Amino acid sequence: MGALNGIRVLDLSRLLPGPFCSTILADHGASVIVVEAPRFRERSVIGSVPMVRRNKRHLALNLREEAGREIFMSLAANSDVVLEAFRPGVVCDLGVDYGAVQQINPKIIYCSLSGYGQTGPLSGKAVHDLNCVAYAGILDLFRESSGTPVKPGVPLAGLTGSLYAAIGILLALVSRQATGKGQFIDTSMCDGLVSFLALPLSALGNGSLLTDGKGSVHRPPVPYYRAYRTMDNRYITVGALEGHLWEHFC
């Protein structure tokens, strides 16, 4: 029995960020129902990431039709969490936004996960992972020797947003135990990435991070914390960050 046993989650999201979040909840016992439009069920868009389909049930609904909205609202009335990752404003157009759900279920925890958040000058912009990684300043720290930014091998923005959404939902569940009230959670993938700059920004402030005069930042190369190519054309990482460990290694 998981810690979230008895918690029902309606997941309106697709692709990776939202489904990764609901997978975390499902893995810990939550009952997750993925609400998909018929066209996505037929094309199996989410099926391209099978690792985020486990421990869930799936339901095809057309939320643009009254019958589909009625079924969704009947489920929402007896659910604990709604998770969506549309572009801001879409759930309002569909009639399944936080305000509409809260009217029938005041205890609902409603989490919206988007690239730049629900408000602000960029909120309505279409965005994918790499855009967020660049705008947050993370991409500036991953460069080839030529200076060209390198795309990270994993979708950092989507995974970061997923984790912050899961944390927000869990905190809201704890709060509801004390207050009896639900709440709205606005999770921005870009904001989450900015929080990951704690070390680089601190280093920039104390002078241990260099700038090239154009806004780009980089750490001076150090021998005790880097990857080395070996004679058999593989790589070994050295992580002797503390002075005594580097001395012992040498």
Side-chain angles (χ1 to χ4, degrees):
M1 181 180 295
L4 297 180
N5 188 61
I7 298 296
R8 176 192 270 184
V9 179
L10 296 182
D11 183 3
L12 289 169
S13 65
R14 53 183 183 266
L15 300 179
L16 179 65
F20 189 85
C21 171
S22 61
T23 297
I24 295 172
L25 304 178
D27 285 347
H28 290 277
S31 174
V32 176
I33 300 175
V34 178
V35 179
E36 299 170 292
R39 65 191 180 99
F40 286 102
R41 179 198 61 185
E42 294 163 2
R43 296 177 185 177
S44 299
V45 172
I46 294 182
S48 62
V49 191
M51 287 294 290
V52 297
R53 291 182 69 91
R54 64 179 183 271
N55 298 331
K56 303 176 185 179
R57 290 176 290 173
H58 293 255
L59 174 66
L61 289 178
N62 187 348
L63 296 177
R64 297 191 180 279
E65 296 181 353
E66 185 176 352
R69 288 193 297 273
E70 289 179 353
I71 294 173
F72 175 82
M73 286 300 189
S74 67
L75 291 171
N78 297 290
S79 295
D80 300 281
V81 178
V82 171
L83 172 64
E84 67 91 6
F86 294 112
R87 194 184 305 184
V90 171
V91 287
C92 293
D93 294 339
L94 294 173
V96 295
D97 55 290
Y98 173 60
V101 176
Q102 187 191 34
Q103 288 184 4
I104 62 171
N105 184 354
K107 293 185 177 182
I108 196 70
I109 293 165
Y110 195 109
C111 181
S112 291
L113 172 58
S114 62
Y116 300 117
Q118 300 299 302
T119 59
L122 295 178
S123 61
K125 298 290 186 181
V127 62
H128 274 300
D129 202 275
L130 188 60
N131 308 121
C132 280
V133 175
Y135 197 80
I138 298 290
L139 196 61
D140 201 34
L141 302 175
F142 294 87
R143 292 178 178 268
E144 297 176 344
S145 57
S146 64
T148 303
V150 178
K151 179 176 71 70
V154 295
L156 293 179
L159 296 176
T160 300
S162 298
L163 294 174
Y164 273 109
I167 292 170
I169 290 170
L170 295 175
L171 291 174
L173 286 170
V174 172
S175 176
R176 193 178 67 177
Q177 288 182 333
T179 66
K181 299 179 180 180
Q183 59 182 279
F184 177 72
I185 302 167
D186 178 5
T187 305
S188 160
M189 293 189 289
C190 190
D191 288 356
L193 284 174
V194 171
S195 74
F196 283 9
L197 290 171
L199 283 176
L201 290 178
S202 297
L204 186 62
N206 64 30
S208 61
L209 204 65
L210 304 181
T211 66
D212 63 0
K214 300 177 182 179
S216 296
V217 296
H218 62 277
R219 286 186 177 276
V222 292
Y224 49 80
Y225 200 79
R226 57 170 293 183
Y228 287 93
R229 187 174 181 175
T230 57
M231 290 183 65
D232 57 358
N233 289 322
R234 301 176 70 183
Y235 286 86
I236 185 171
T237 55
V238 175
L241 196 57
E242 295 82 354
H244 68 280
L245 294 179
W246 175 238
E247 292 177 4
H248 179 72
F249 175 83
C250 289

